[in-house]
Amino acid sequence: MHYIDSHTAGEPTRVIIDGGPALGSGTINERLARLRTNHDDFRQTVINEPRGSDALVGALLCEPDDPSCEAGVIFFNNAGYLGMCGHGAIGVAVTLGYLDRIGLGKFRLQTPVGVIEVDRRTEHQIAIENVRSYRYKKAVVVDVDGHGPIEGDIAWGGNWFFLCKEIGIEIAQTNIRKLTDLAGLVRRSLRAQDITGEGGQEIDHIEFFGPAENANAHSRNFVYCPGGAYDRSPCGTGTSAKVACLATEGVLSPGEEWVQESVIGSVFQVSYQRCETDGVIPTVVGEAYICGKGELIQQDGDLFRNGIPSEACV
C-alpha cells in the first residue's frame, strides 16, 4: 500500500493512494459498509502500531458516486470509521495538490456524511465548506464519576460532540494527561447515563474550552477523539460544532471570523453561513504540509502484519 503523510495544524493524516482493498461499486456508504465488515484488517494495518499511532487518521481515496466530486474519501482511526474529518479533508486536499491531481481553486470532495466544497487557496492553505452543523441540545448536565457534574452542549459538526466550558483544568500542554483522563470519564458517563446525539447516536468526541493564549484567537480547545487520543489541531468538525453553538446563541454573526486555537497552539479560522433549514454551513481554514510518503509492507510470518490491536478505545 502506498501512502502520503501530512499534518494539518499538527494533526497527522495518512492518505492511502494505492493498494487499498477492492470495495466494488455503489454509494460511498455502501463501500464504507464493505470496508468495515470485510476489510477492517486494512484499517488496523494502516493506523495501529508498528506502522501508525493513536493520533493518526487514515483516509482511503476512492471513486465518488457523485459525479460533481473530484474524489471520494473514507476516514478512519484507531477506533473505527469517521463520517467526516476536518483536518483530514485539509490533508487530503494538500495531498491531491502534491500529486498534481488538482490545481489551485475549488473542488468537491465526497464523504460518507455528505459532499464538502474545498478551496485550495495556496499550496498549503485550504478552506473547507463543511456539512451542515447544528446544536442539538443546550446546557446538558452529566454527572461524572470522581469529578461531579459537568455542563455542556451537544452539537453536530460532521461528528457528535459534547462541548464544555468550565471543567476546572487549564487547557494547556502540561495538563494533557489530566484533560485526557477527564474527557474519558465524561464520555463513559455520557454512555452510562444514556446521553446521546440525535437519533440515539453516540457522542464520541469530547471538547473542552478555555481562554486563548494566542492574542489573535478567541478560545483554546482540547478535543478528545474516539480512540482515546487528543487532537493536535483545533479539530475541523469540533470547531464547526462550536460555531453552530455560537450562531444559535447569537454570539457570532454570519461571515464573522472565529479563530480557534488548539491545545498545542495551532489555529483554524472559521466562519459560517446560515442554512435554509436549521443549522449553519461552516467554512474552516487551515494549513497542511506533506511530511512523508512511502509503502506499507506486510510479510508472511509477521505476528503483527495487521498491526497491534489498539487498547486505547474507552
Side-chain angles (χ1 to χ4, degrees), residues 1-311:
M1 289 181 284
H2 292 88
Y3 70 90
I4 293 179
D5 282 351
S6 64
H7 78 85
T8 306
E11 182 74 354
T13 305
R14 173 166 290 168
V15 179
I16 302 302
I17 58 174
D18 182 52
L23 300 178
S25 59
T27 68
I28 195 167
N29 280 291
E30 289 170 338
R31 284 174 282 164
L32 168 57
R34 293 187 199 114
L35 180 60
R36 178 186 286 117
T37 302
N38 302 324
H39 303 285
D40 196 57
D41 56 338
F42 159 80
R43 176 188 65 82
Q44 296 179 56
T45 299
V46 172
I47 292 296
N48 289 344
E49 295 179 8
R51 301 175 186 86
S53 71
D54 287 345
L56 184 63
V57 168
L60 175 62
L61 293 179
C62 56
E63 288 296 319
D65 58 89
D66 184 327
S68 72
C69 294
E70 179 67 28
V73 61
I74 297 172
F75 293 110
F76 50 93
N77 65 6
N78 63 333
Y81 299 86
L82 301 166
M84 170 56 187
C85 180
H87 95 266
I90 292 171
V92 166
V94 166
T95 297
L96 291 174
Y98 179 80
L99 294 170
D100 290 326
R101 284 186 50 176
I102 58 169
L104 298 181
K106 295 182 178 181
F107 70 98
R108 287 160 65 86
L109 188 66
Q110 188 176 21
T111 78
V113 296
V115 172
I116 62 172
E117 185 169 278
V118 182
D119 185 2
R120 185 169 176 248
R121 295 179 174 178
T122 70
E123 181 181 359
H124 302 292
Q125 187 186 72
I126 309 294
I128 60 168
E129 188 178 276
N130 198 9
V131 297
R132 171 179 169 259
S133 303
Y134 61 96
R135 184 170 70 185
Y136 175 54
K137 289 184 178 179
K138 176 184 178 180
V140 175
V141 177
V142 57
D143 189 14
V144 180
D145 288 343
H147 183 87
I150 288 182
E151 182 180 285
D153 292 349
I154 299 172
W156 171 259
N159 299 295
W160 282 108
F161 287 83
F162 191 69
L163 303 96
C164 317
K165 291 181 181 178
E166 303 296 334
I167 59 167
I169 302 174
E170 182 185 3
I171 309 300
Q173 283 186 263
T174 52
N175 289 330
I176 282 174
R177 184 71 263 167
K178 292 180 181 179
L179 293 164
T180 298
D181 290 345
L182 179 58
L185 288 173
V186 171
R187 192 165 68 193
R188 285 195 289 272
S189 298
L190 290 170
R191 289 173 179 167
Q193 294 164 45
D194 199 27
I195 299 172
T196 70
E198 191 172 13
Q201 295 183 75
E202 182 183 5
I203 302 168
D204 56 3
H205 289 71
I206 309 300
E207 189 166 9
F208 299 148
F209 293 90
E213 291 187 8
N214 185 325
N216 296 318
H218 293 90
S219 77
R220 173 175 274 229
N221 70 0
F222 172 89
V223 178
Y224 181 75
C225 300
Y230 73 94
D231 198 325
R232 278 69 172 164
S233 82
C235 186
T237 55
T239 302
S240 295
K242 175 67 174 180
V243 298
C245 295
L246 293 170
T248 302
E249 289 294 317
V251 174
L252 193 69
S253 301
E256 187 179 355
E257 185 178 81
W258 178 269
V259 179
Q260 185 62 59
E261 182 183 26
S262 78
V263 70
I264 68 168
S266 56
V267 298
F268 285 161
Q269 296 84 30
V270 61
S271 59
Y272 75 89
Q273 298 298 321
R274 295 198 183 277
C275 292
E276 293 181 3
T277 57
D278 290 340
V280 302
I281 301 295
T283 296
V284 180
V285 181
E287 291 189 346
Y289 293 83
I290 302 298
C291 55
K293 63 179 180 179
E295 182 179 5
L296 301 179
I297 297 171
Q298 294 172 300
Q299 292 187 322
D300 292 339
D302 181 0
L303 181 62
F304 303 114
R305 71 189 307 271
N306 293 332
I308 302 171
S310 175
E311 301 299 329

